[in-house]
Amino acid sequence: MKTSLLTGLLTLLIFVTASAADQINILTPAEKKAGWRLLFDGKDTSQFRGFKKDAFPAEGWAVEDGCLKKVANVKAGDIITKDKFTDFEFSWEWKLGPGGNNGIKYFILEERGAVGHEYQMIDDAIVKKDALSSAASFYLVVAPKKDKPLKPPGEWNHSRVMVKGNHVEHWLNGEKVLEYECGSEPILQQVQLTKFKNVKDFGKKVTGHILLTDHKDECWYRNLKVRELKASVQ
């Protein structure tokens, strides 16, 4: 009797786990109509490659439970989208462990290095009052709003970057937490106060790749989606 009960419970657990996995990395009919496409379907990494590499890293990045995982303390290097983007929305979910640090970058040009505008993903406990390095910031350049809806380490956050013309927005868990204008005087002035001051065209809009950083800490990604925008799209 106990064996049958245990077997039944295990079967139920497997079913529930499989059902939950089926609910991620999909596009709704509305998303498809709006032009969204998946960059990762839970299995296939073919839309990414290593930075300045032809192929996806052989180690350090793994596919687990329908997620793309940066393995902790295994140096693999950053990965980038094979495609480049000009006007776009990029949407993704992520989680870190306590003390974790990672990020995604956009406007990546391989000829100038793995340097782009970074959406910071970090446990804010380790940056404390440094808003320019906190989660959802445009790293070192624009701070997010103080009451941003950040979830704690171990829980999934949903983030989005929107680029339309020179206008950029960072979103976190359904709320816009910052916006800025590429190439504007305030942005270029702040860039001069950072380590990016000598990077060509940093702070200005360029057509480039999206990059997922290798920052040694474990980081999980899922529901990586992108859509290209036209000038008339609001």
Side-chain angles (χ1 to χ4, degrees):
M1 186 63 141
K2 290 183 179 180
T3 302
S4 298
L5 178 60
L6 180 59
T7 301
L9 289 173
L10 288 173
T11 301
L12 178 61
L13 178 60
I14 292 170
F15 174 77
V16 170
T17 302
S19 297
D22 288 342
Q23 301 306 308
I24 61 174
N25 306 311
I26 61 172
L27 294 176
T28 66
E31 287 176 320
K32 292 177 181 178
K33 186 176 181 180
W36 289 94
R37 65 182 174 92
L38 288 173
L39 288 172
F40 173 69
D41 65 1
K43 300 176 182 178
D44 183 8
T45 62
S46 64
Q47 295 195 63
F48 291 91
R49 60 178 174 82
F51 180 73
K52 290 191 175 181
K53 305 288 185 181
D54 293 328
F56 193 83
E59 60 180 4
W61 291 89
V63 175
E64 293 185 11
D65 300 324
C67 299
L68 182 58
K69 176 185 176 182
K70 176 63 196 73
V71 180
N73 300 313
V74 178
K75 187 63 177 176
D78 304 323
I79 58 174
I80 63 172
T81 57
K82 290 182 176 179
D83 292 337
K84 293 182 179 181
F85 303 95
T86 304
D87 294 286
F88 64 93
E89 282 186 90
F90 174 52
S91 173
W92 74 104
E93 293 181 13
W94 57 277
K95 68 176 178 178
L96 299 164
N101 184 7
N102 213 294
I104 72 99
K105 301 178 184 180
Y106 48 101
F107 301 154
I108 293 293
L109 304 174
E110 287 182 290
E111 59 268 27
R112 71 177 183 184
V115 181
H117 295 196
E118 181 172 359
Y119 184 113
Q120 177 78 309
M121 295 153 47
I122 196 167
D123 177 0
D124 274 358
I126 68 176
V127 293
K128 297 181 180 179
K129 296 183 180 180
D130 182 8
L132 288 174
S133 298
S134 68
S137 66
F138 168 12
Y139 179 60
L140 299 185
V141 182
V142 182
K145 67 178 188 176
K146 293 180 180 179
D147 60 344
K148 65 190 177 189
L150 177 66
K151 294 183 180 180
E155 294 188 19
W156 286 102
N157 286 279
H158 174 251
S159 293
R160 183 163 62 93
V161 169
M162 190 276 287
V163 178
K164 180 173 175 288
N166 284 322
H167 184 73
V168 179
E169 297 176 359
H170 285 191
W171 289 69
L172 177 64
N173 294 320
E175 293 185 20
K176 182 169 64 176
V177 294
L178 69 79
E179 59 186 334
Y180 67 93
E181 302 297 320
C182 293
S184 65
E185 185 174 348
I187 294 300
L188 297 182
Q189 287 179 347
Q190 178 61 26
V191 168
Q192 290 304 304
L193 302 177
T194 73
K195 62 184 180 181
F196 307 118
K197 63 183 180 181
N198 294 320
V199 177
K200 179 177 171 57
D201 291 332
F202 193 90
K204 298 180 180 180
K205 180 184 179 180
V206 299
T207 297
H209 304 275
I210 297 170
L211 178 147
L212 279 57
T213 65
D214 176 358
H215 205 284
K216 84 176 183 179
D217 296 330
E218 182 174 281
C219 182
W220 295 74
Y221 296 89
R222 68 184 186 187
N223 290 323
L224 295 135
K225 305 173 183 181
V226 68
R227 69 166 178 163
E228 298 188 65
L229 300 177
K230 298 181 180 179
S232 60
V233 175
Q234 300 297 321

